[in-house]
Amino acid sequence: MSSTIRPIVLCGGSGTRLWPLSRKTLPKQFVPLINNKNLLVLTLERLRHLNTQVTCVAAEEHRFLVQESIEAADVSGTQLLEPVARNTAAAMAAIALLAEPDQLLLFAPADHHIPDAERFVATIRKGVPAALAGHLVTFGVEPTFPSTAYGYIRQGAALDSTLGEEAGHMVAAFVEKPAAAHAEQLLLSGGHLWNAGILLVQARVLITALQEYAPDILQSCRQATAAVETDGDFLRMDATAFSRCRSQSIDYAVLEKCEKVAVVPFQGRWSDVGSWNAVAELHGADDHGNRISGQGFAMGATNTFVYAPNRPVVALGTKDLLVVDTPDALLVAHADCAEQVKDVVALLTTQGHSQATRHRRIPRPWGAYDSVDDGERFAVKRLTVKPGAHLALRMHHHRAEHWVVVKGTARVLCDGQTCLVREDESIYIPMGATYRLENAGKTVLEVIEVQTGSYLGEDDIVRFEDTPPELPNKDRKLA
């Protein structure tokens, strides 16, 4: 029986409590929060110590963001793409069905910060004997304060010593996120751990548990994975079948009902980076409790966090504030209200503000575009195109485009004619022309695009070619 662990990274989640930095199009796991790295890259680097072959479960719209993180972390593997979000039970069920029955699967969230990789890996390995013995093994963090933001795990009887001296305990109960007074009681009583949301289990053991406690979820995922299609490193399930699956976490669907669940304590630093207070804790404090990221300044301030990656932001005489600046939205909140930021996102969404879900800079498979300015009959964007990448052949009915290359070399196809446009050169794309932009160099191409016309919406695009066709493979398993 193999003890090789296959890491599975769950890349879902919208991270609305970290708005305005985290948004639907760029959730917190893809935002460079720590040492100019995003949380997914840091997670993959940590898991690399267990296995350089990793599988990520991600939304279709985030697949290229995940791929960039995989490459940055120097790991390899596949992505299982979810056509719709259906929470962790469905994601784990689909993975288990695609894996070999005896495969040890380590499910880990993409957006947690655990700086001590060696201690983390050692803790995971302590859970291997219990997982091979048929347990569903969770991991809990030794609490350091009475948190109301985390769920708790109550430890039961110690596992049999034949599974190792530090094999952990049976789980006596899962505790919902408590109120402050209850959290203090849990901390004082001992025997309780923060639920880290990490699970180590054999594929067949998880399938058996799902069959007993959530058979409808398992059945939907069986149908969805019966004919998985392969597109490079991307695996696509049947969208209709997966959409029929109910949405529920693995905790509610299985773990809270199953009797054979174990927990192994983790004694290192851990954060789910679930709020701006948690982000602030990742930065050192000055003598007055102020924490600064980027170009922030605190003058006469106390216990203030300033996140300012793009421009100077000054907190003058403030106290207990969170100040988060982005190019198109600003958050100023009392530290006690950090958990309510998600309500702000809901309000902005109902009022139709695009900033609730979309950043000014929008990632694309070929690079990204940044909406710099716009008016009644014009829009200005900054395009960045990866080396060797290109935009699909296209045409616009209602607008013309003027391009100025500010970095790199562009190859432009316009109405059948091809030309190179170098730095400090420009080209005009008339309304109705069929064109394509390609990066002809080995460095990033940067182009300033000025759109003019009567209608400038993103839906005024007629595409004549798209990404390479999918290559079906109905028998694909996890590589």
Side-chain angles (χ1 to χ4, degrees):
M1 187 176 294
S2 174
S3 60
T4 302
I5 297 172
R6 176 69 179 225
I8 311 296
V9 184
L10 305 176
C11 301
S14 58
T16 52
R17 288 180 294 171
L18 289 189
W19 185 89
L21 194 62
S22 174
R23 308 185 196 182
K24 184 177 183 295
T25 57
L26 191 72
K28 69 173 181 176
Q29 56 268 31
F30 305 116
V31 176
L33 277 174
I34 302 170
N35 297 327
N36 206 32
K37 292 183 179 181
N38 66 43
L39 292 169
L40 176 55
V41 169
L42 293 172
T43 297
L44 293 169
E45 289 179 344
R46 183 167 63 250
L47 295 172
R48 188 175 61 197
H49 296 278
L50 290 166
N51 195 333
T52 58
Q53 293 288 323
V54 177
T55 298
C56 293
V57 184
E60 177 82 25
E61 65 179 312
H62 298 145
R63 64 192 186 279
F64 294 105
L65 295 172
V66 174
Q67 193 62 35
E68 288 179 354
S69 296
I70 288 174
E71 294 170 0
D74 194 25
V75 297
S76 58
T78 55
Q79 283 191 57
L80 180 64
L81 301 179
E82 295 180 299
V84 292
R86 286 295 180 266
N87 217 311
T88 55
M92 292 182 180
I95 287 291
L97 290 166
L98 291 172
E100 295 298 327
D102 288 336
Q103 177 70 69
L104 267 179
L105 304 172
L106 177 69
F107 294 96
D111 54 359
H112 290 185
H113 180 51
I114 306 173
D116 192 340
E118 291 185 3
R119 179 173 290 185
F120 168 79
V121 169
T123 302
I124 298 299
R125 294 199 185 282
K126 291 176 184 177
V128 169
L132 293 177
H135 290 79
L136 290 86
V137 182
T138 61
F139 296 86
V141 179
E142 295 280 0
T144 55
F145 65 96
S147 173
T148 60
Y150 304 142
Y152 288 72
I153 298 173
R154 182 183 304 137
Q155 299 179 87
L159 291 175
D160 192 298
S161 60
T162 59
L163 299 178
E165 295 182 0
E166 300 178 275
H169 293 73
M170 296 299 295
V171 171
F174 288 88
V175 182
E176 295 282 350
K177 295 177 182 179
H182 189 197
E184 290 181 3
Q185 291 176 1
L186 296 177
L187 187 65
L188 292 172
S189 64
H192 290 82
L193 305 168
W194 289 334
N195 187 352
I198 301 171
L199 179 67
L200 179 67
V201 63
Q202 282 185 299
R204 61 177 176 82
V205 172
L206 180 56
I207 290 172
T208 300
L210 285 161
Q211 182 62 54
E212 181 172 357
Y213 301 109
D216 59 319
I217 292 177
L218 183 64
Q219 179 61 22
S220 295
C221 290
R222 282 193 191 278
Q223 296 171 357
T225 57
V228 168
E229 295 186 345
T230 303
D231 174 13
D233 290 331
F234 304 128
L235 307 181
R236 288 186 170 85
M237 297 180 284
D238 182 272
T240 301
F242 194 75
S243 298
R244 287 196 295 264
C245 185
R246 66 182 168 94
S247 178
Q248 193 171 35
S249 72
I250 194 67
D251 296 62
Y252 288 133
V254 173
L255 298 183
E256 292 188 359
K257 303 171 184 177
C258 184
E259 294 182 356
K260 205 169 183 181
V261 182
V263 60
V264 177
F266 174 68
Q267 298 176 335
R269 287 179 55 201
W270 169 86
S271 171
D272 72 346
V273 199
S275 70
W276 280 113
N277 283 334
V279 175
E281 290 293 330
L282 300 177
H283 298 79
D286 65 15
D287 293 340
H288 302 285
N290 301 305
R291 302 173 188 269
I292 305 297
S293 176
Q295 301 183 54
F297 297 89
M299 298 178 62
T302 56
N303 298 326
T304 293
F305 173 62
V306 181
Y307 182 89
N310 303 303
R311 57 183 174 177
V313 174
V314 181
L316 178 60
T318 60
K319 182 180 180 181
D320 300 330
L321 285 189
L322 302 166
V323 182
V324 182
D325 186 45
T326 67
D328 61 348
L330 171 67
L331 171 71
V332 180
H334 193 281
D336 291 345
C337 299
E339 297 293 324
Q340 300 172 32
V341 173
K342 61 182 183 294
D343 300 329
V344 174
V345 177
L347 174 64
L348 293 174
T349 301
T350 58
Q351 295 191 358
H353 291 283
S354 63
Q355 291 92 336
T357 57
R358 296 172 65 88
H359 276 279
R360 206 181 79 170
R361 183 182 184 275
I362 303 297
R364 284 291 183 261
W366 43 263
Y369 70 83
D370 183 4
S371 298
V372 178
D373 195 9
D374 64 84
E376 185 177 350
R377 292 183 59 87
F378 79 93
V380 181
K381 295 182 178 180
R382 177 187 177 187
L383 311 182
T384 55
V385 186
K386 301 173 186 176
H390 65 83
L391 284 67
L393 191 68
R394 61 187 61 195
M395 182 267 287
H396 305 290
H397 289 294
H398 304 289
R399 75 179 188 235
E401 296 186 348
H402 307 250
W403 292 341
V404 179
V405 175
V406 295
K407 182 179 180 181
T409 301
R411 180 180 291 113
V412 180
L413 172 67
C414 185
D415 282 341
Q417 301 295 315
T418 301
C419 66
L420 292 178
V421 185
R422 299 174 176 83
E423 291 183 12
D424 298 326
E425 296 179 349
S426 63
I427 189 171
Y428 171 63
I429 307 297
M431 186 184 305
T434 300
Y435 73 92
R436 179 172 63 198
L437 173 65
E438 178 183 354
N439 185 345
K442 297 182 179 180
T443 60
V444 171
L445 170 67
E446 295 187 7
V447 176
I448 301 300
E449 176 183 276
V450 180
Q451 303 173 357
T452 58
S454 59
Y455 179 72
L456 305 174
E458 285 299 310
D459 54 349
D460 179 28
I461 300 179
V462 180
R463 292 183 174 86
F464 297 101
E465 66 180 37
D466 210 336
T467 52
E470 297 176 3
L471 302 175
N473 182 346
K474 299 184 183 298
D475 299 319
R476 179 67 181 261
K477 293 288 186 177
L478 296 183

